[in-house]
Amino acid sequence: MEVLNIVIILVIALIVTLYKGINIVPQGEEWIVERLGKFSRTLKPGLNIIVPYIESIRERVSTRDLILDIPEQEVITRDNAVIHTNAVTFARVTNPRDAIYGIEDFRTAIQQLVMTTLRSILGEMDLDEALSNREHIKTKLKDSIIDDVADWGVTVKSVEIQDINPSPSMQDSMERQAAAERERRAIETTAEGNKNAAILEADGKLEAAKREAQAQIALANASGEAINIITQNIKDNELPAMFLLGDRYINTLEEISKSPNAKFVVYPADLQEAIKGMLGNVFKK
């Protein structure tokens, strides 16, 4: 009976020993092995055997990409504007030994490092610059932390800025400023339109005055030419002169009758004699 109990105990001990000694590491993980409390080696994916009771598994480290959420925080920009920002970091453990022994908690360390670095970068920028240069901030943030996290056996693949938003009071001020700017531009546009309209109107009046002056000059030249022709023809023939002077006389009376101040116009009873009288004056001259 005692022999049977000893055999059972030995079988159980053997099973436990084999269970502790044989380890199957899944894909996407690496296990840290310690021998008597000291780092021994790293187990790769697949079947691995360790020395039971002397060696033990210290940590199971994932070698897949890690998604680390960076909590939202308040940041004061260079022009004393308060903004809220958060981010997400994509990283991968490339050296499990450094990740475990290089720092106490590499996940928390990366989060805190990203937060402080992001706050420092935004603190050196104005509000408008921070809101419009997200890609520049992301690149500068990654370059600033990549060397530090490398000492922890971690490679940062990307840092994405999720939100950069002004505080509620700052948003209200920006909306009022934008409304005032739009109103100012509308006033300037209206004033510019009125100025252009006035210039066009003045140019139109100037052009009309020039054309009117040219017309008056042309009319005066035509009248002078007509008078010269009449003067030359009067010497030899009285009838054409009478016709031209009579035509001018009648046209003048018609223009006078169209005037708003004219009540009535009196035509001479003997138009022919009146014209002859005018010719007589011309001959006397």
Side-chain angles (χ1 to χ4, degrees), residues 112-182:
Q112 294 299 319
L113 179 62
V114 172
M115 289 180 66
T116 55
T117 306
L118 180 58
R119 185 162 55 244
S120 176
I121 292 173
L122 293 176
E124 297 175 353
M125 305 173 70
D126 294 332
L127 175 61
D128 293 339
E129 187 180 1
L131 295 177
S132 59
N133 290 278
R134 183 171 298 193
E135 288 298 322
H136 172 71
I137 296 171
K138 180 179 73 173
T139 302
K140 188 174 181 180
L141 177 59
K142 180 182 177 181
D143 293 341
S144 299
I145 67 173
I146 192 169
D147 292 335
D148 292 330
V149 299
D151 295 337
W152 306 332
V154 180
T155 298
V156 174
K157 303 186 69 176
S158 177
V159 180
E160 299 294 333
I161 306 299
Q162 290 182 308
D163 294 304
I164 298 180
N165 298 318
S167 63
S169 60
M170 183 60 63
Q171 287 182 359
D172 184 58
S173 299
M174 292 175 64
E175 290 175 358
R176 292 198 304 269
Q177 181 180 0
E181 180 65 18
R182 287 193 296 269

Side-chain angles (χ1 to χ4, degrees), residues 11-281:
V11 170
I12 293 174
L14 179 61
I15 293 174
V16 172
T17 301
L18 292 175
Y19 177 78
K20 287 181 172 293
I22 299 174
N23 293 273
I24 299 177
V25 180
Q27 187 68 38
E29 292 184 4
E30 293 185 11
W31 293 2
I32 301 297
V33 177
E34 288 184 347
R35 176 175 293 179
L36 300 177
K38 183 179 179 181
F39 173 78
S40 174
R41 65 187 182 278
T42 302
L43 302 183
K44 303 295 183 180
L47 179 63
N48 294 270
I49 297 176
I50 64 174
V51 180
Y53 311 112
I54 297 178
E55 295 180 338
S56 61
I57 305 299
R58 161 67 187 274
E59 192 78 29
R60 293 173 172 84
V61 180
S62 174
T63 57
R64 294 169 292 182
D65 287 349
L66 303 175
I67 302 174
L68 304 177
D69 184 56
I70 309 303
E72 183 177 289
Q73 60 178 331
E74 283 190 356
V75 179
I76 300 177
T77 61
R78 184 170 56 188
D79 52 353
N80 296 322
V82 179
I83 59 177
H84 297 268
T85 181
N86 63 339
V88 60
T89 302
F90 299 91
R92 172 178 288 185
V93 176
T94 54
N95 190 331
R97 176 181 178 178
D98 292 340
I100 298 302
Y101 296 102
I103 193 167
E104 183 175 354
D105 185 348
F106 69 89
R107 290 179 177 84
T108 302
I110 292 174
Q111 289 177 334
Q112 294 299 319
L113 179 62
V114 172
M115 289 180 66
T116 55
T117 306
L118 180 58
R119 185 162 55 244
S120 176
I121 292 173
L122 293 176
E124 297 175 353
M125 305 173 70
D126 294 332
L127 175 61
D128 293 339
E129 187 180 1
L131 295 177
S132 59
N133 290 278
R134 183 171 298 193
E135 288 298 322
H136 172 71
I137 296 171
K138 180 179 73 173
T139 302
K140 188 174 181 180
L141 177 59
K142 180 182 177 181
D143 293 341
S144 299
I145 67 173
I146 192 169
D147 292 335
D148 292 330
V149 299
D151 295 337
W152 306 332
V154 180
T155 298
V156 174
K157 303 186 69 176
S158 177
V159 180
E160 299 294 333
I161 306 299
Q162 290 182 308
D163 294 304
I164 298 180
N165 298 318
S167 63
S169 60
M170 183 60 63
Q171 287 182 359
D172 184 58
S173 299
M174 292 175 64
E175 290 175 358
R176 292 198 304 269
Q177 181 180 0
E181 180 65 18
R182 287 193 296 269
E183 184 177 357
R184 183 186 65 81
R185 291 181 180 178
I187 293 174
E188 289 181 353
T189 301
T190 302
E192 185 68 19
N194 292 336
K195 183 185 75 173
N196 292 335
I199 292 174
L200 291 175
E201 183 179 1
D203 290 342
K205 291 181 178 180
L206 178 60
E207 185 64 24
K210 289 181 179 180
R211 292 181 180 273
E212 179 66 21
Q214 292 174 357
Q216 293 293 336
I217 293 172
L219 181 61
N221 292 335
S223 298
E225 185 66 23
I227 291 173
N228 291 333
I229 294 173
I230 291 172
T231 303
Q232 294 175 2
N233 291 334
I234 284 177
K235 297 177 180 178
D236 301 324
N237 192 352
E238 182 179 339
L239 183 59
M242 291 180 62
F243 173 77
L244 291 174
L245 291 175
D247 182 64
R248 291 293 182 87
Y249 185 69
I250 293 173
N251 289 336
T252 301
L253 292 177
E254 287 180 354
E255 292 297 329
I256 294 174
S257 66
K258 293 178 181 178
S259 175
N261 297 326
K263 303 301 181 180
F264 58 88
V265 178
V266 179
Y267 284 87
D270 192 347
L271 184 60
Q272 184 175 0
E273 291 298 328
I275 293 173
K276 285 182 178 181
M278 294 172 62
L279 287 173
N281 294 332

